[in-house]
Amino acid sequence: MNNMNFMQYITDYISGVMSLREPQEKSLKILEDIINDTNLLNNRNIEEVLNVIHSKYPICTDFERKFISLTFALATGVGKTRLMGAFITYLYTNYGIKNFLVVAPGTTVYEKLKADLGNPDNLKYVFKGLGCFNTPPKVITDDDYKNKNTTLFDSDVNIYVYNIGKFDKENAKMKEDNEFLGGSFYKKLAEMKDLVIIMDESHHYRADKGMNALNELNPVLGLELTATPIVNIKSKQVPFKNVVYEYPLSEAIKDGYTRVPFAVTRTDIDFYHFGDEQLDKLMLNDGIKCHERIKNKFEVYSKVNNKTLVKPFMLVVCKDTNHAKKIEEYVKSYEFRNGKYKNKTIKIESKMTEVETEANTKLLLEVERADNPIEIVIHVNMLKEGWDVNNLYTIVPLRTASSKILREQMVGRGLRLPYGKRTGDKEIDSVMLTAHDKFQEILEEAQKGNSIFKLGNVIKAEEVEDEKNTYTQLALDLTQEQDELRKILKEDEEKYTISNSINMIVKDKVTEYIYNNENKMTEENKDIIKKQIEDEIKNDEDLGRIFEENRSPIESWMNKAIEKVEEEVNNRFILIPKIKTEREEGEYYFDDFDLDTSKFNQKPIDNKLLLQNLIDVSEVEIMEGGYINFDAVSPEKTILEELRSKSEIDYEKTAELLHKLITQVTNKFKTEFDSEQVKNIVMMYKKELSNEIYNQMLKHFVRNEGIIKEEVFAERPINYQSNYTYNIKKNLFDNYDSDRDGRITSILFDGIKRGVFDTAKFDSVPELQLSKIVERENDFVERWLRPSPIDFNITYNGGKNYEPDFVIETKDTIYLVEVKGDDKLNDLDVLAKKQKSIEYCKLVSKWAKETGNKKWVHVFIPASKISSKSTFRYLAEYYAVE
């Protein structure tokens, strides 16, 4: 155990500071358990250590190396690099280990490890927030060891990051004598008494050369990380024998650490009758439908939720280079989506020129960038580990993926979460694998307990509909302006259409300007807008000709129309106040004090052994047992582990005080007993000791509660546009027929006059019905709105965003309206939103009274109470909650 400066660095503390996921934390605790139970770092008897580990972790039957080496088999996307950082931190703070060799299989992984372990400015730097290093761990790599200006081996922690290819050959440069080091760098590593080797993607280091090179380094410990603990030996796949913990992909998916894989197929088709080329084309076309759907989805999701735009791409896996060439020709042809992807496709395969390889590899490595045009990657072989992308959403395996392992490796490239966690949106949290001819295999596989595919994860390709995308537009009444323009153009059929087009251009340009600029319209602004309108008109040959023929009257009309649109836009909104919350954090700490050690009078226990006859329960024998030997016990750490569960104790803030108090307790016992007896006391009475320390600490606990201030404010008077995807468009008052029209959520309804915007979408038929009611109720309703998610800043249940169903404005009141199915009226989530809505309305109404605005009222309407005979006046009065 290292010195008392790092007492708080128990596994729970490290897990908390580093935000380890459950499988990472479990791995760290297993390492701690093994070290404690085997005295591993000091015990060189490999057989003895193996026997202990096997008894605790039966799947570990052989270290398979000449040193103790443990494999942690963690699924792709769980976070192996962060776990490396946790291992390094634990071994340094608890055992003083300072030298770590991190081995990478190839360039991509190597570059990633250098950045994640050695660059504090990197977003994924693993040691952020840890205060145990006086200076950040030094990463030594490439030819650093040859540089006399680089002082090696003297940092708090040294991390040597190298590809296995740098030292698995006899003539490797690392094995050459170095004047600066007085020997080879490889030899210096082998001479270190505290060298720990961490092997990333360790299935690559099982060949003879790699095995020998690592064995010769003779480390005190090897830690292996891989998602595939299998090695190929003479065409057979042989599992690792030194695995101590397995966390498969199926568990990672179930626990929410990755996206969910879906198999896409077509129903009622016998693919046996398809030729190879026909099947390839069908799978590509079905795959691109999935790709375009998720691309549209991200455009909406990123804007509505104010998130970074993710640019998805599609991976096509081919069987060989000739196959890849044919697929590339088809995808870049006009036969495929009218040539849309001609300049958005790259092919990666071995038989490429150096220039082609360099250019395409650069595009591939930067495929996540929004300015990278590539949307389709055609590849021959499986992409290797280390290519960690977050935006692979569609996988099309053509005549490949005949085994479960291949499928898992393939899908594994598309499981990372682009926003770091699941969003709750099914499509954004998914990856699609077209599985047409392999679907039955996947279906059978899904029935197995550990499959990454589940029976419910099936999508019918024919039901993936092409979606359109649109932004809501303000519902402006410009009929008078349009009539005037028609008169100017001396009505005929052609000019009737043209007048409508020019009117729409004026509306769009003025609206766009006001939305994007907070300053009011000036004459200079109007000149800019007129120039934009004229340019837009001239983009169309017919419009441009009519404009030039009637320039003077159209320009005169345009001046009036701009003013009219400005007036309409500035009046077409519902003022939605927002809440600004200021929270002054409270102080929670312990005053410094000294323990009353007179309360600690425990003595060592001379343990006795009890022998119970299980046949004759009256027969009991007691034997002298002597003191239990607690050689491996640290009294200080044992007490600290008991105190860690106390919620008031922040280990970062109280480390110095805890160190002092625990030392006072152990020092008292050390004045009376020898070290073995002190360990005995602590182990026998650890709960009593920690509780007494805790009770005395509570008498010195200071709690200053924080203050929460809520302030209402109103932003500039606009409502935010919504970005909608839809399959069909219908007039609001046309009959909706689910059999004919499909899901209501796929329909965009237009023809809205009283709404702030002229289109809307709905989640249910009762919502659609309510919109018809408010739209026709012109004697009571002034305007209404289906709000955008960013119109409000209300949160509930620990930070979830609350998006009301409707905002409806009348002469003196604004109603915040929720429509809920009768089966959900008592749903806890619904009730939480209801409570927050009521609180919002009360707070905003108080502000409204002081500022001369309209009061707000929450209305909670059961869906069954809305019918074509209802009026909103009645519903608002009956279901209002004030």
Side-chain angles (χ1 to χ4, degrees), residues 778-843:
N778 55 15
D779 61 332
F780 184 60
V781 175
E782 290 189 348
R783 59 183 60 85
W784 63 277
L785 173 71
R786 289 279 283 171
S788 158
I790 55 177
D791 271 317
F792 288 88
N793 66 341
I794 306 173
T795 59
Y796 72 102
N797 276 1
K800 292 182 183 177
N801 288 325
Y802 170 43
E803 181 185 342
D805 291 334
F806 291 87
V807 179
I808 300 172
E809 184 174 3
T810 64
K811 182 179 179 182
D812 55 12
T813 305
I814 298 176
Y815 295 95
L816 197 159
V817 181
E818 281 291 321
V819 176
K820 284 292 170 280
D822 292 45
D823 59 330
K824 293 185 178 179
L825 296 181
N826 294 311
D827 181 271
L828 293 178
D829 203 59
V830 169
L831 292 175
K833 287 193 282 188
K834 179 179 180 181
Q835 185 58 40
K836 289 299 292 187
S837 177
I838 293 168
E839 292 172 6
Y840 171 85
C841 290
K842 285 181 179 178
L843 190 61

Side-chain angles (χ1 to χ4, degrees), residues 30-40 53 57 70 244:
I30 287 173
L31 177 62
E32 175 191 44
D33 181 48
I34 289 173
I35 292 176
N36 287 344
D37 280 11
T38 61
N39 194 21
L40 185 151
I53 294 175
Y57 305 98
L70 310 173
V244 292

Side-chain angles (χ1 to χ4, degrees), residues 357-376:
T357 301
E358 185 177 344
N360 280 5
T361 301
K362 185 175 189 300
L363 285 170
L364 179 65
L365 293 176
E366 296 177 353
V367 75
E368 289 181 289
R369 290 174 51 138
D371 59 353
N372 184 319
I374 299 306
E375 293 185 44
I376 300 177

